[in-house]
Amino acid sequence: MINTPAGPTLLGFDVVLVGSILAGIAAMAVIFAIYTAVTIKDPMAKRVKALNNRREELKAGIVTATAKKRQSLVRKTDTTEKVKTALGDMKVLQDTQIADMQQKLAWAGYRNKEVAVLLIGARLLLPLIFGGFAFVMLYLVEIYPDWVMKRVFAMATVLFLSYKGPEIYLKNKASKRSAEIRKGLPDALDLLVICAEAGLTVDAAFNRVAKELGRAYPELGDEFTLTAIELSFLNERKKAFDNLAYRVDLEAVKGVVTTMIQTERYGTPLASALRVLSGEFRNERMMRAEEKAARLPAIMTVPLILFILPVLFVVILGPAACSIADAFSGGI
């Protein structure tokens, strides 16, 4: 049996074996470095590809949604045409009424304009239905026989609420929606300034802002997303901004739309224009807060007189009144 001589060792490790392992690792590192240098990629290629895929998804989504909803839209249009024809024969339908109701629906967040005719028809039918039911219950069944003049007021209230009910509901929902959009608009403008300074286009900036603020302000994110889609597909970009001003009942949004249109028309730098507009909105928000703070003393006057001062008088004058009462009772 031949014994092979052992190699040199260092601290108990074979120097030749360790050197071979380190040489293999170094060779692999050199090969990886050469491969990385040869196969270098454009850093913007992945982003451009993602944007193109997103655009194709939007196109496919719009086409698919249109195809799926076409049949239902046809049915709604048939129903709407029947209601419109019936109201036209009764001479109670005007184009101005339809336009006004469509505007209120847009402010409340409803996209389908065909519902305007149905609401006008409901405004005509609801007083007949609820008024007839109230007349039967109040005058024929007499559920409250002791009511004399109250019946007249109850009947008038039912007729008024059934006629104005849809408009009151739309107005209430539109005011809440406008308040939510007003809260998120300054933050949205700040993000638009950042996106504009970063070099994004207007539609990409709107899409990015909608993505970032969609969870915090869903109404504002919905409007910005729809505006970004319209900017991508409409022939006239001004039409997309006009639609945004049409859908939101806020002067601040109309100011943003005017700024965007002027920027598109005259070539004004978008970042500087939005920065000026954002500063104006910050000042307006500060002025609104100062106005509320200035109104606070006048608002607190009535609760102070009705609730705080009587309690204060009782606490201060109560012991003295008790002492005086004890003194008089002891003297007697």
Side-chain angles (χ1 to χ4, degrees):
M1 185 174 181
I2 301 173
N3 294 325
T4 57
T9 59
L10 180 64
L11 299 177
F13 295 99
D14 191 353
V15 176
V16 177
L17 179 60
V18 173
S20 301
I21 295 174
L22 292 177
I25 293 174
M28 293 177 61
V30 171
I31 294 173
F32 179 76
I34 295 173
Y35 173 77
T36 305
V38 172
T39 60
I40 187 171
K41 297 181 179 180
D42 185 6
M44 293 298 296
K46 185 176 181 181
R47 181 172 178 81
V48 172
K49 184 179 179 181
L51 290 175
N52 291 330
N53 292 335
R54 176 60 177 168
R55 186 179 296 273
E56 294 298 328
E57 289 175 1
L58 287 174
K59 290 182 180 179
I62 291 176
V63 173
T64 305
T66 303
K68 289 181 179 180
K69 293 181 180 179
R70 184 173 299 164
Q71 189 64 30
S72 62
L73 286 175
V74 170
R75 288 197 296 268
K76 289 181 181 179
T77 303
D78 292 340
T79 305
T80 304
E81 289 298 328
K82 292 179 181 178
V83 175
K84 189 174 181 180
T85 303
L87 294 176
D89 295 337
M90 298 171 63
K91 306 297 183 182
V92 294
L93 185 63
Q94 299 177 357
D95 294 336
T96 56
Q97 291 179 339
I98 298 176
D100 183 58
M101 188 61 70
Q102 289 176 351
Q103 179 70 84
K104 292 179 180 179
L105 286 171
W107 287 344
Y110 295 101
R111 311 296 185 197
N112 191 358
K113 295 183 178 181
E114 300 295 332
V115 185
V117 179
L118 299 180
L119 285 179
I120 295 175
R123 190 172 61 180
L124 179 64
L125 292 178
L126 289 179
L128 298 178
I129 296 174
F130 288 101
F133 178 77
F135 180 80
V136 171
M137 298 301 294
L138 291 174
Y139 289 96
L140 299 182
V141 180
E142 293 185 353
I143 56 175
Y144 297 109
D146 297 334
W147 286 7
V148 181
M149 292 301 297
K150 290 182 179 179
R151 294 180 183 179
V152 179
F153 292 108
M155 191 71 185
T157 303
V158 170
L159 291 176
F160 176 78
L161 292 179
S162 58
Y163 180 77
K164 286 290 186 179
E167 292 186 7
I168 294 173
Y169 172 75
L170 290 178
K171 185 177 181 180
N172 186 26
K173 190 168 184 179
S175 62
K176 292 181 179 179
R177 185 168 177 269
S178 300
E180 293 296 327
I181 293 176
R182 184 186 293 109
K183 289 180 182 179
L185 191 58
D187 297 335
L189 284 180
D190 292 336
L191 286 179
L192 279 177
V193 171
I194 295 173
C195 293
E197 291 179 346
L200 295 180
T201 59
V202 177
D203 51 348
F206 270 85
N207 198 5
R208 185 65 180 179
V209 172
K211 183 179 179 181
E212 294 294 333
L213 297 179
R215 293 185 178 181
Y217 307 104
E219 292 82 5
L220 184 62
D222 186 17
E223 292 297 335
F224 273 36
T225 301
L226 185 56
T227 303
I229 294 175
E230 290 180 349
L231 285 172
S232 300
F233 296 107
L234 288 179
N235 294 329
E236 296 182 1
R237 299 169 66 88
K238 180 178 179 297
K239 182 64 176 176
F241 295 125
D242 291 337
N243 291 337
L244 176 61
Y246 177 80
R247 294 190 302 266
V248 181
D249 185 21
L250 280 177
E251 293 297 329
V253 174
K254 292 180 174 60
V256 174
V257 168
T258 303
T259 303
M260 290 292 180
I261 293 175
Q262 290 179 354
T263 302
E264 292 283 338
R265 180 179 300 176
Y266 301 110
T268 307
L270 180 61
S272 60
L274 289 178
R275 188 180 292 107
V276 172
L277 198 61
S278 178
E280 291 180 358
F281 286 158
R282 287 196 192 96
N283 294 332
E284 182 181 356
R285 183 169 56 183
M286 185 61 67
M287 291 175 61
R288 193 181 300 114
E290 291 177 355
E291 180 183 357
K292 290 182 179 180
R295 289 166 49 193
L296 187 60
I299 295 175
M300 289 296 296
T301 302
V302 176
L304 180 65
I305 295 174
L306 293 180
F307 302 106
I308 299 177
L309 289 181
V311 177
L312 187 61
F313 289 152
V314 169
V315 172
I316 295 175
L317 301 179
C322 292
S323 300
I324 294 172
D326 292 340
F328 277 106
S329 60
I332 295 175

